[in-house]
Amino acid sequence: MSASLIQTNDLDSQTIEAIFEDASQYLDGKFYDDLKHKLIITLFFENSTRTKSSFEIAAKRLGASVVHLDVAKSSTKKGETLFDTAANLDAMGPDAIIVRHATSGVPKNITDFAQCSIVNAGDGNHAHPTQALLDLFTIRKHFSGNIQGKKIAIVGDIKNSRVASSNMELLARFGLEVILVAPEVFMPQTSLRSCDDIREVIDELDIIMSLRTQTERHDGSVIISTEDYAKKYCITKELMGDRDILLLHPGPVHRNIDISDEMLLDPRAKVLEQVTNGVAVRMAVLKHLILANG
Ligand code: NCD
């Protein structure tokens, strides 16, 4: 059975420490040959800018060959089932298939049809494990490893966000206090501390993770105007004041709805550093999964 990564708790904390150690080294920007003669396929059924290119760059920086299946031109458009598509790709002998799909559970189900490692690059609102890993990595780096008891507010459309759901598990496991901040329509059922106004908690916070409104997953029942939402939840300079708070966002950012233009330029915003760290963390994840297969 190949090692797959479907959700954050597929990796124990010790393994995550080892992955972060490798990732720290890969921040040097160099090319390595750990995955020379390995073959990786990217299979994205949903749009992506960062995650797809980040995985492809990570694979190439480790010397792997990468094939991207253009789903729009594939036989899934001729009526082939998704699982037949995966089984056929697997029959070509890749070491890993990296999958993104709009439906929760698809990457996990593909593991039944494939011999190679399956890496979840985001499924519905279920999980986005490598995003949470790169977020935790960025937080640890910023606080030089001292993250026990740090307070993070996850702000926005938490209910529909796979980034939020993976981070809730991972950040809590590594000792952070997670506070959910969202209007009622975007709040999941939770036992975590939660509130609908960031101003109530901002003085306590060490980190804010702002999220995009996941309009593609709304069924028409969400009635909140962008303007009203932004008034209350947009992270602005005025809201942040001179507080020493690390500001994160997984992208894509809705400017002036999630975070203001001005705040994106502020040194407290580490959105692009997350992207840089993402390549190094994905290099370490791919190496771990593929070489664990022997
Ligand atoms: C996220 C995603 O696709 O889940 N983006 C990403 O991978 N960096 C978040 C989002 O789309 O809002």
Side-chain angles (χ1 to χ4, degrees):
M1 201 36 200
S2 300
S4 288
L5 176 60
I6 306 301
Q7 52 195 28
T8 45
N9 57 16
D10 292 338
L11 299 172
D12 61 33
S13 303
Q14 214 179 335
T15 305
I16 291 173
E17 296 290 351
I19 285 172
F20 284 178
E21 206 169 300
D22 275 348
S24 299
Q25 184 188 337
Y26 293 143
L27 281 176
D28 64 9
K30 291 189 182 145
F31 280 71
Y32 288 83
D33 60 7
D34 305 68
L35 296 185
K36 201 171 159 195
H37 304 311
K38 303 290 182 190
L39 181 61
I40 295 174
I41 299 178
T42 52
L43 180 59
F44 277 60
F45 292 92
E46 243 193 4
N47 296 347
S48 170
T49 300
R50 270 153 297 274
T51 306
K52 178 174 164 291
S53 44
S54 178
F55 267 116
E56 293 184 356
I57 289 167
K60 288 184 178 184
R61 278 201 26 216
L62 287 176
S65 299
V66 181
V67 172
H68 167 63
L69 182 76
D70 186 348
V71 173
K73 295 188 187 125
S74 75
S75 289
T76 43
K77 295 283 166 207
K78 297 193 220 161
E80 182 174 66
T81 72
L82 162 62
F83 300 108
D84 283 338
T85 302
N88 276 271
L89 292 175
D90 183 62
M92 297 179 203
D95 296 282
I97 302 177
I98 298 167
V99 189
R100 168 170 284 194
H101 202 281
T103 305
S104 297
V106 163
K108 169 86 180 100
N109 291 339
I110 287 178
T111 60
D112 294 338
F113 296 82
Q115 302 297 314
C116 71
S117 293
I118 301 298
V119 187
N120 181 6
D123 61 330
N125 68 356
H126 169 241
H128 194 348
T130 57
Q131 180 67 44
L133 287 168
L134 78 88
D135 292 334
L136 174 61
F137 182 84
T138 304
I139 292 168
R140 291 227 315 191
K141 192 161 171 282
H142 181 80
F143 292 104
S144 310
N146 302 318
I147 57 168
Q148 280 300 320
K150 290 275 185 277
K151 288 190 188 178
I152 177 166
I154 302 182
V155 181
D157 188 358
I158 300 165
K159 192 174 171 179
N160 295 296
S161 168
R162 55 197 173 209
V163 175
S165 95
S166 286
N167 268 303
M168 285 189 260
E169 190 283 316
L170 190 67
L171 299 183
R173 174 151 49 116
F174 277 79
L176 286 99
E177 184 187 332
V178 180
I179 305 170
L180 306 184
V181 180
E184 209 184 329
V185 279
F186 294 157
M187 187 65 85
Q189 287 226 320
T190 181
S191 55
L192 293 172
R193 183 172 162 199
S194 59
C195 68
D196 78 346
D197 189 349
I198 181 123
R199 286 154 188 86
E200 267 177 39
V201 289
I202 193 154
D203 284 326
E204 299 175 43
L205 299 177
D206 302 292
I207 309 147
I208 292 176
M209 179 181 291
S210 166
L211 298 173
R212 178 181 68 90
T213 306
Q214 310 282 307
T215 37
E216 71 276 29
R217 288 182 207 121
H218 296 168
D219 54 9
S221 63
V222 174
I223 26 168
I224 179 163
S225 81
T226 305
E227 238 187 3
D228 288 344
Y229 176 84
K231 240 184 243 158
K232 205 156 167 195
Y233 298 98
C234 185
I235 310 302
T236 60
K237 253 200 155 133
E238 191 200 353
L239 173 72
M240 293 278 278
D242 57 7
R243 294 177 185 86
D244 185 15
I245 297 176
L246 171 65
L247 176 59
L248 304 176
H249 192 300
V253 176
H254 284 162
R255 281 176 174 266
N256 303 311
I257 300 169
D258 307 341
I259 301 178
S260 69
D261 285 338
E262 199 185 15
M263 211 39 235
L264 280 166
L265 293 172
D266 189 285
R268 289 170 289 181
K270 301 289 186 205
V271 182
L272 293 178
E273 198 180 310
Q274 287 172 270
V275 176
T276 303
N277 292 340
V279 173
V281 168
R282 290 186 173 109
M283 288 170 78
V285 166
L286 289 174
K287 177 182 156 191
H288 165 77
L289 293 173
I290 292 173
L291 298 188
N293 294 341

